[in-house]
């Protein structure tokens, strides 16, 4: 996926209403998972990503700072994020528990 034409979200747009359900892409546009939920808003928000699994079953939730993800909106208005982390790196992170 070519992200060069996608519009970066502003800090004010980094909120649960916009980010929940967003797909997270890693290196080589690998689908790493999706945003389960968000704690807080803006650059200091904690984004909980469901990593791995199939259709949400067996996925591991991990929390990362929103500032570590590059959230953007594509031509269709869909929000997604890219990161340099791999699926294996995310799976090695501690499991998030609310």
């Amino acid at each position: 996926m070519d992200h060069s034409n996608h519009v970066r979200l502003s800090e004010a747009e980094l909120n649960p209403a916009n980010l929940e359900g967003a797909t997270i892409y890693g290196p080589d546009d690998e689908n790493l998972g999706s945003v389960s939920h968000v704690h807080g808003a803006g650059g200091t928000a904690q984004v909980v990503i469901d990593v791995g699994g199939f259709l949400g079953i067996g996925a591991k939730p991990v929390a990362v700072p929103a500032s570590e993800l590059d959230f953007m909106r594509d031509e269709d208005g869909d929000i997604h994020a890219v990161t340099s982390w791999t699926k294996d790196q995310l799976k090695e992170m501690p499991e998030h528990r609310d």
Side-chain angles (χ1 to χ4, degrees):
M1 176 184 308
D2 179 11
H3 301 284
S4 62
N5 292 327
H6 297 170
V7 178
R8 302 300 187 268
L9 296 184
S10 69
E11 187 163 335
E13 292 177 295
L14 299 178
N15 60 61
N18 285 332
L19 304 184
E20 289 177 2
T23 301
I24 308 298
Y25 295 99
D28 301 322
D29 284 325
E30 177 187 14
N31 183 332
L32 303 179
S34 62
V35 176
S36 168
H37 58 282
V38 179
H39 296 285
T44 61
Q46 287 290 306
V47 177
V48 180
I49 304 169
D50 284 337
V51 181
F54 182 71
L55 299 176
I57 299 171
K60 177 184 177 181
V62 297
V64 298
S67 60
E68 296 290 324
L69 300 166
D70 191 7
F71 282 98
M72 58 191 76
R73 185 176 281 111
D74 67 16
E75 299 86 358
D76 297 326
D78 295 326
I79 294 174
H80 61 281
V82 294
T83 182
S84 60
W85 287 319
T86 65
K87 187 175 283 191
D88 288 337
Q89 288 172 318
L90 288 174
K91 285 181 178 180
E92 290 173 9
M93 292 181 177
E95 184 171 350
H96 173 76
R97 300 209 185 268
D98 284 320

